[in-house]
Short mmCIF file of all heavy atoms in Angstrom, two decimals:
data_model
loop_
_atom_site.label_atom_id
_atom_site.label_comp_id
_atom_site.label_asym_id
_atom_site.label_seq_id
_atom_site.Cartn_x
_atom_site.Cartn_y
_atom_site.Cartn_z
N TYR A 38 150.39 80.70 13.41
CA TYR A 38 150.41 81.18 12.05
C TYR A 38 151.12 80.15 11.17
O TYR A 38 150.89 79.97 10.07
CB TYR A 38 151.10 82.56 12.06
CG TYR A 38 150.20 83.57 12.75
CD1 TYR A 38 150.53 84.17 13.88
CD2 TYR A 38 148.97 83.91 12.15
CE1 TYR A 38 149.66 84.99 14.54
CE2 TYR A 38 148.09 84.76 12.72
CZ TYR A 38 148.42 85.33 13.97
OH TYR A 38 147.59 86.16 14.58
N THR A 39 152.29 79.54 11.71
CA THR A 39 152.98 78.58 10.93
C THR A 39 152.05 77.49 10.47
O THR A 39 151.96 77.20 9.35
CB THR A 39 154.15 77.96 11.81
OG1 THR A 39 154.84 79.02 12.30
CG2 THR A 39 154.99 77.09 10.91
N ILE A 40 151.26 77.00 11.51
CA ILE A 40 150.33 75.86 11.15
C ILE A 40 149.41 76.36 10.01
O ILE A 40 149.18 75.74 9.07
CB ILE A 40 149.58 75.41 12.29
CG1 ILE A 40 150.51 74.69 13.29
CG2 ILE A 40 148.35 74.53 11.93
CD1 ILE A 40 149.87 74.37 14.68
N CYS A 41 148.87 77.62 10.21
CA CYS A 41 147.85 78.16 9.18
C CYS A 41 148.62 78.18 7.90
O CYS A 41 148.05 77.70 6.84
CB CYS A 41 147.42 79.48 9.65
SG CYS A 41 146.29 79.44 10.99
N PHE A 42 149.85 78.68 7.88
CA PHE A 42 150.61 78.87 6.60
C PHE A 42 150.79 77.51 5.95
O PHE A 42 150.46 77.34 4.84
CB PHE A 42 151.92 79.55 6.80
CG PHE A 42 152.70 79.70 5.50
CD1 PHE A 42 152.25 80.52 4.61
CD2 PHE A 42 153.85 78.86 5.32
CE1 PHE A 42 152.98 80.68 3.34
CE2 PHE A 42 154.52 78.98 4.20
CZ PHE A 42 154.14 79.86 3.18
N LEU A 43 151.28 76.53 6.79
CA LEU A 43 151.57 75.20 6.28
C LEU A 43 150.21 74.58 5.71
O LEU A 43 150.16 74.05 4.64
CB LEU A 43 152.23 74.29 7.30
CG LEU A 43 153.66 74.55 7.65
CD1 LEU A 43 154.15 73.68 8.70
CD2 LEU A 43 154.49 74.22 6.37
N THR A 44 149.19 74.77 6.57
CA THR A 44 147.89 74.23 6.19
C THR A 44 147.46 74.90 4.79
O THR A 44 147.06 74.16 3.92
CB THR A 44 146.81 74.57 7.24
OG1 THR A 44 147.29 74.08 8.46
CG2 THR A 44 145.54 73.89 6.91
N GLY A 45 147.65 76.23 4.88
CA GLY A 45 147.26 76.93 3.55
C GLY A 45 148.05 76.32 2.41
O GLY A 45 147.45 75.97 1.32
N CYS A 46 149.36 76.12 2.66
CA CYS A 46 150.21 75.69 1.45
C CYS A 46 149.75 74.19 1.11
O CYS A 46 149.62 73.90 -0.06
CB CYS A 46 151.68 75.66 1.85
SG CYS A 46 152.31 77.26 2.08
N LEU A 47 149.46 73.35 2.13
CA LEU A 47 149.01 72.03 1.84
C LEU A 47 147.76 72.12 1.02
O LEU A 47 147.61 71.42 -0.02
CB LEU A 47 148.75 71.25 3.09
CG LEU A 47 150.03 70.84 3.90
CD1 LEU A 47 149.72 70.30 5.27
CD2 LEU A 47 150.75 69.81 3.07
N LEU A 48 146.82 72.86 1.47
CA LEU A 48 145.51 73.03 0.73
C LEU A 48 145.70 73.49 -0.62
O LEU A 48 145.14 73.12 -1.65
CB LEU A 48 144.50 73.96 1.51
CG LEU A 48 143.88 73.35 2.79
CD1 LEU A 48 143.12 74.45 3.53
CD2 LEU A 48 142.97 72.13 2.37
N SER A 49 146.60 74.57 -0.73
CA SER A 49 146.74 75.14 -2.05
C SER A 49 147.74 74.30 -2.87
O SER A 49 147.92 74.51 -4.04
CB SER A 49 147.28 76.57 -1.95
OG SER A 49 148.68 76.49 -1.46
N GLY A 50 148.50 73.37 -2.23
CA GLY A 50 149.32 72.48 -2.99
C GLY A 50 150.75 72.94 -3.22
O GLY A 50 151.51 72.33 -3.77
N SER A 51 150.98 74.23 -2.76
CA SER A 51 152.37 74.68 -3.19
C SER A 51 153.47 74.18 -2.26
O SER A 51 154.60 74.37 -2.59
CB SER A 51 152.35 76.23 -3.04
OG SER A 51 152.01 76.63 -1.76
N ALA A 52 153.12 73.58 -1.09
CA ALA A 52 154.15 73.12 -0.18
C ALA A 52 155.04 72.15 -0.84
O ALA A 52 156.35 72.12 -0.68
CB ALA A 52 153.55 72.45 0.93
N PHE A 53 154.60 71.22 -1.66
CA PHE A 53 155.41 70.18 -2.30
C PHE A 53 155.77 70.58 -3.83
O PHE A 53 155.85 69.63 -4.57
CB PHE A 53 154.67 68.90 -2.17
CG PHE A 53 154.28 68.51 -0.74
CD1 PHE A 53 152.92 68.60 -0.40
CD2 PHE A 53 155.26 68.31 0.20
CE1 PHE A 53 152.49 68.36 0.90
CE2 PHE A 53 154.83 68.08 1.53
CZ PHE A 53 153.50 68.04 1.93
N GLY A 54 155.85 71.80 -4.09
CA GLY A 54 156.19 72.28 -5.45
C GLY A 54 154.91 71.90 -6.38
O GLY A 54 155.05 71.90 -7.65
N GLN A 55 153.80 71.57 -5.84
CA GLN A 55 152.60 71.36 -6.62
C GLN A 55 152.09 72.70 -7.10
O GLN A 55 152.40 73.74 -6.60
CB GLN A 55 151.48 70.58 -5.81
CG GLN A 55 151.85 69.17 -5.51
CD GLN A 55 150.79 68.62 -4.53
OE1 GLN A 55 150.01 69.41 -3.87
NE2 GLN A 55 150.72 67.39 -4.33
N THR A 56 151.22 72.64 -8.10
CA THR A 56 150.61 73.81 -8.55
C THR A 56 149.58 74.36 -7.57
O THR A 56 148.76 73.52 -7.13
CB THR A 56 149.96 73.50 -9.90
OG1 THR A 56 150.84 72.97 -10.83
CG2 THR A 56 149.26 74.77 -10.54
N PRO A 57 149.66 75.66 -7.12
CA PRO A 57 148.74 76.02 -6.18
C PRO A 57 147.33 76.19 -6.77
O PRO A 57 147.14 76.32 -7.91
CB PRO A 57 149.28 77.46 -5.77
CG PRO A 57 150.06 77.91 -6.98
CD PRO A 57 150.58 76.65 -7.62
N ARG A 58 146.28 76.04 -5.91
CA ARG A 58 144.93 76.23 -6.29
C ARG A 58 144.39 77.43 -5.60
O ARG A 58 144.65 77.67 -4.52
CB ARG A 58 144.10 74.94 -5.86
CG ARG A 58 144.63 73.67 -6.26
CD ARG A 58 144.32 73.24 -7.61
NE ARG A 58 142.87 73.06 -7.85
CZ ARG A 58 142.38 72.86 -9.06
NH1 ARG A 58 143.16 72.96 -10.08
NH2 ARG A 58 141.07 72.74 -9.30
N LEU A 59 143.62 78.22 -6.43
CA LEU A 59 143.06 79.46 -5.87
C LEU A 59 142.36 79.26 -4.55
O LEU A 59 141.46 78.34 -4.49
CB LEU A 59 142.23 80.19 -6.94
CG LEU A 59 141.60 81.45 -6.56
CD1 LEU A 59 142.63 82.51 -6.28
CD2 LEU A 59 140.63 81.96 -7.60
N MET A 60 142.63 80.05 -3.56
CA MET A 60 141.82 80.20 -2.33
C MET A 60 141.59 81.68 -2.09
O MET A 60 142.21 82.53 -2.69
CB MET A 60 142.56 79.49 -1.22
CG MET A 60 142.87 77.96 -1.41
SD MET A 60 144.18 77.33 -0.32
CE MET A 60 143.43 77.70 1.18
N ALA A 61 140.76 81.95 -1.12
CA ALA A 61 140.49 83.35 -0.77
C ALA A 61 141.69 84.07 -0.30
O ALA A 61 141.80 85.27 -0.47
CB ALA A 61 139.29 83.38 0.23
N ASP A 62 142.69 83.32 0.26
CA ASP A 62 143.78 84.05 0.89
C ASP A 62 145.11 83.73 0.30
O ASP A 62 146.16 83.86 0.96
CB ASP A 62 143.78 83.68 2.39
CG ASP A 62 143.91 82.24 2.63
OD1 ASP A 62 144.01 81.46 1.60
OD2 ASP A 62 144.01 81.79 3.80
N ASN A 63 145.14 83.23 -0.92
CA ASN A 63 146.47 82.95 -1.47
C ASN A 63 146.64 83.63 -2.93
O ASN A 63 147.26 83.13 -3.88
CB ASN A 63 146.70 81.42 -1.64
CG ASN A 63 145.90 80.81 -2.62
OD1 ASN A 63 144.89 81.39 -3.16
ND2 ASN A 63 146.32 79.58 -3.17
N ILE A 64 145.99 84.74 -3.13
CA ILE A 64 145.88 85.31 -4.47
C ILE A 64 147.29 85.78 -4.89
O ILE A 64 147.70 85.54 -6.01
CB ILE A 64 144.93 86.54 -4.39
CG1 ILE A 64 143.51 85.97 -4.36
CG2 ILE A 64 145.11 87.49 -5.64
CD1 ILE A 64 142.42 87.00 -4.24
N SER A 65 148.11 86.25 -3.94
CA SER A 65 149.48 86.67 -4.33
C SER A 65 150.19 85.41 -4.86
O SER A 65 151.00 85.50 -5.88
CB SER A 65 150.22 87.22 -3.15
OG SER A 65 149.53 88.46 -2.73
N GLU A 66 149.99 84.28 -4.22
CA GLU A 66 150.71 83.05 -4.63
C GLU A 66 150.22 82.60 -6.00
O GLU A 66 151.04 82.25 -6.85
CB GLU A 66 150.43 81.98 -3.55
CG GLU A 66 151.23 80.78 -3.56
CD GLU A 66 150.67 79.83 -2.46
OE1 GLU A 66 149.86 80.14 -1.64
OE2 GLU A 66 151.03 78.63 -2.62
N ILE A 67 148.96 82.79 -6.18
CA ILE A 67 148.47 82.40 -7.51
C ILE A 67 149.03 83.29 -8.61
O ILE A 67 149.41 82.81 -9.68
CB ILE A 67 146.88 82.46 -7.47
CG1 ILE A 67 146.32 81.43 -6.58
CG2 ILE A 67 146.25 82.38 -8.90
CD1 ILE A 67 146.60 79.95 -6.98
N ILE A 68 149.02 84.60 -8.33
CA ILE A 68 149.52 85.50 -9.37
C ILE A 68 151.04 85.18 -9.65
O ILE A 68 151.43 85.10 -10.81
CB ILE A 68 149.40 86.94 -8.85
CG1 ILE A 68 147.95 87.37 -8.82
CG2 ILE A 68 150.15 87.93 -9.72
CD1 ILE A 68 147.70 88.72 -8.14
N ALA A 69 151.78 84.78 -8.62
CA ALA A 69 153.05 84.49 -8.83
C ALA A 69 153.31 83.19 -9.67
O ALA A 69 154.26 82.96 -10.41
CB ALA A 69 153.80 84.28 -7.48
N ALA A 70 152.33 82.37 -9.55
CA ALA A 70 152.37 81.01 -10.28
C ALA A 70 151.89 81.19 -11.67
O ALA A 70 152.03 80.29 -12.58
CB ALA A 70 151.53 79.93 -9.53
N MET A 71 151.14 82.31 -12.04
CA MET A 71 150.45 82.40 -13.35
C MET A 71 151.50 82.72 -14.41
O MET A 71 152.40 83.54 -14.22
CB MET A 71 149.40 83.44 -13.32
CG MET A 71 148.18 83.12 -12.51
SD MET A 71 147.03 84.54 -12.35
CE MET A 71 146.20 84.45 -13.84
N THR A 72 151.32 82.18 -15.64
CA THR A 72 152.15 82.55 -16.73
C THR A 72 151.59 83.89 -17.23
O THR A 72 150.43 84.26 -16.98
CB THR A 72 152.07 81.55 -17.84
OG1 THR A 72 150.70 81.58 -18.38
CG2 THR A 72 152.37 80.19 -17.31
N VAL A 73 152.41 84.52 -18.06
CA VAL A 73 152.00 85.86 -18.65
C VAL A 73 150.69 85.58 -19.58
O VAL A 73 149.74 86.32 -19.47
CB VAL A 73 153.04 86.52 -19.61
CG1 VAL A 73 152.44 87.68 -20.35
CG2 VAL A 73 154.21 86.90 -18.72
N GLY A 74 150.73 84.47 -20.29
CA GLY A 74 149.54 84.09 -21.04
C GLY A 74 148.31 83.92 -20.26
O GLY A 74 147.28 84.34 -20.62
N GLU A 75 148.44 83.30 -19.16
CA GLU A 75 147.32 83.11 -18.20
C GLU A 75 146.76 84.43 -17.70
O GLU A 75 145.53 84.62 -17.55
CB GLU A 75 147.69 82.09 -17.09
CG GLU A 75 147.88 80.65 -17.56
CD GLU A 75 148.43 79.79 -16.48
OE1 GLU A 75 149.23 80.23 -15.65
OE2 GLU A 75 148.14 78.53 -16.57
N LYS A 76 147.76 85.22 -17.34
CA LYS A 76 147.25 86.51 -16.82
C LYS A 76 146.48 87.38 -17.84
O LYS A 76 145.40 87.79 -17.61
CB LYS A 76 148.48 87.38 -16.32
CG LYS A 76 149.22 86.81 -15.10
CD LYS A 76 150.39 87.59 -14.73
CE LYS A 76 151.10 86.92 -13.51
NZ LYS A 76 152.35 87.71 -13.17
N VAL A 77 147.00 87.29 -19.05
CA VAL A 77 146.39 88.02 -20.20
C VAL A 77 145.03 87.38 -20.50
O VAL A 77 143.98 88.18 -20.72
CB VAL A 77 147.24 88.12 -21.39
CG1 VAL A 77 146.45 88.65 -22.63
CG2 VAL A 77 148.45 89.08 -21.15
N SER A 78 144.92 86.09 -20.30
CA SER A 78 143.64 85.44 -20.70
C SER A 78 142.61 85.83 -19.69
O SER A 78 141.41 85.87 -20.02
CB SER A 78 143.87 83.92 -20.70
OG SER A 78 143.90 83.40 -19.39
N LEU A 79 143.06 86.17 -18.50
CA LEU A 79 142.07 86.49 -17.46
C LEU A 79 141.56 87.94 -17.52
O LEU A 79 140.44 88.28 -17.13
CB LEU A 79 142.65 86.38 -16.05
CG LEU A 79 141.72 86.27 -14.78
CD1 LEU A 79 140.92 85.01 -14.91
CD2 LEU A 79 142.50 86.22 -13.58
N LEU A 80 142.40 88.76 -18.36
CA LEU A 80 141.95 90.15 -18.45
C LEU A 80 140.89 90.48 -19.45
O LEU A 80 140.45 91.63 -19.61
CB LEU A 80 143.23 91.04 -18.85
CG LEU A 80 144.37 90.93 -17.80
CD1 LEU A 80 145.54 91.74 -18.32
CD2 LEU A 80 143.90 91.67 -16.50
N SER A 81 140.39 89.41 -20.18
CA SER A 81 139.31 89.62 -21.09
C SER A 81 138.43 88.42 -21.05
O SER A 81 138.82 87.24 -20.82
CB SER A 81 139.81 89.85 -22.48
OG SER A 81 140.48 88.79 -22.89
N GLY A 82 137.08 88.65 -21.32
CA GLY A 82 136.17 87.56 -21.24
C GLY A 82 136.25 86.55 -22.37
O GLY A 82 137.15 86.66 -23.18
N THR A 83 135.33 85.59 -22.39
CA THR A 83 135.37 84.50 -23.39
C THR A 83 134.77 84.97 -24.72
O THR A 83 134.68 84.10 -25.66
CB THR A 83 134.59 83.25 -22.87
OG1 THR A 83 133.27 83.76 -22.42
CG2 THR A 83 135.29 82.68 -21.68
N GLY A 84 134.23 86.16 -24.79
CA GLY A 84 133.73 86.58 -25.99
C GLY A 84 132.35 86.01 -26.26
O GLY A 84 131.83 85.28 -25.48
N ARG A 85 131.76 86.30 -27.43
CA ARG A 85 130.39 85.83 -27.74
C ARG A 85 130.64 84.42 -28.33
O ARG A 85 131.06 84.19 -29.40
CB ARG A 85 129.73 86.68 -28.83
CG ARG A 85 128.39 87.20 -28.36
CD ARG A 85 127.85 88.16 -29.34
NE ARG A 85 127.46 87.47 -30.61
CZ ARG A 85 126.80 88.16 -31.63
NH1 ARG A 85 126.49 89.40 -31.42
NH2 ARG A 85 126.43 87.53 -32.61
N THR A 86 130.33 83.42 -27.48
CA THR A 86 130.64 82.04 -27.87
C THR A 86 129.53 81.32 -28.52
O THR A 86 129.53 80.17 -28.79
CB THR A 86 131.03 81.20 -26.63
OG1 THR A 86 129.91 81.33 -25.67
CG2 THR A 86 132.13 81.82 -25.97
N ASP A 87 128.36 82.05 -28.74
CA ASP A 87 127.23 81.35 -29.34
C ASP A 87 127.56 81.02 -30.79
O ASP A 87 127.98 81.77 -31.54
CB ASP A 87 126.03 82.21 -29.27
CG ASP A 87 126.21 83.49 -30.03
OD1 ASP A 87 127.05 84.31 -29.56
OD2 ASP A 87 125.78 83.62 -31.15
N PRO A 88 127.28 79.78 -31.13
CA PRO A 88 127.57 79.37 -32.55
C PRO A 88 126.65 80.03 -33.56
O PRO A 88 126.85 80.18 -34.65
CB PRO A 88 127.38 77.80 -32.53
CG PRO A 88 126.50 77.60 -31.41
CD PRO A 88 126.75 78.69 -30.38
N ASP A 89 125.48 80.46 -32.93
CA ASP A 89 124.53 81.09 -33.92
C ASP A 89 124.85 82.53 -34.19
O ASP A 89 124.46 83.41 -33.45
CB ASP A 89 123.06 80.93 -33.28
CG ASP A 89 122.05 81.72 -33.98
OD1 ASP A 89 122.35 82.08 -35.14
OD2 ASP A 89 121.00 82.03 -33.39
N GLU A 90 125.50 82.75 -35.22
CA GLU A 90 126.03 84.07 -35.58
C GLU A 90 124.79 84.97 -35.83
O GLU A 90 125.00 86.21 -35.83
CB GLU A 90 126.88 83.98 -36.76
CG GLU A 90 128.40 83.52 -36.41
CD GLU A 90 128.91 84.34 -35.18
OE1 GLU A 90 128.83 85.61 -35.21
OE2 GLU A 90 129.37 83.66 -34.24
N GLY A 91 123.64 84.37 -36.13
CA GLY A 91 122.60 85.27 -36.34
C GLY A 91 122.01 85.92 -35.14
O GLY A 91 121.10 86.68 -35.10
N GLN A 92 122.59 85.51 -33.99
CA GLN A 92 121.96 85.97 -32.77
C GLN A 92 122.05 87.53 -32.70
O GLN A 92 123.12 88.16 -33.02
CB GLN A 92 122.79 85.44 -31.57
CG GLN A 92 122.11 85.55 -30.27
CD GLN A 92 122.82 84.85 -29.20
OE1 GLN A 92 123.80 84.27 -29.43
NE2 GLN A 92 122.18 84.72 -28.02
#
Side-chain angles (χ1 to χ4, degrees):
Y38 291 108
T39 306
I40 290 173
C41 287
F42 177 71
L43 282 175
T44 308
C46 290
L47 285 172
L48 285 174
S49 69
S51 59
F53 306 109
Q55 291 172 342
T56 304
R58 307 278 297 168
L59 178 64
M60 297 163 58
D62 59 359
N63 74 341
I64 287 176
S65 298
E66 195 182 344
I67 292 295
I68 293 173
M71 291 172 82
T72 66
V73 171
E75 287 170 333
K76 292 177 182 177
V77 168
S78 75
L79 200 61
L80 295 175
S81 63
T83 51
R85 232 174 72 172
T86 58
D87 58 289
D89 169 14
E90 279 313 310
Q92 193 170 8

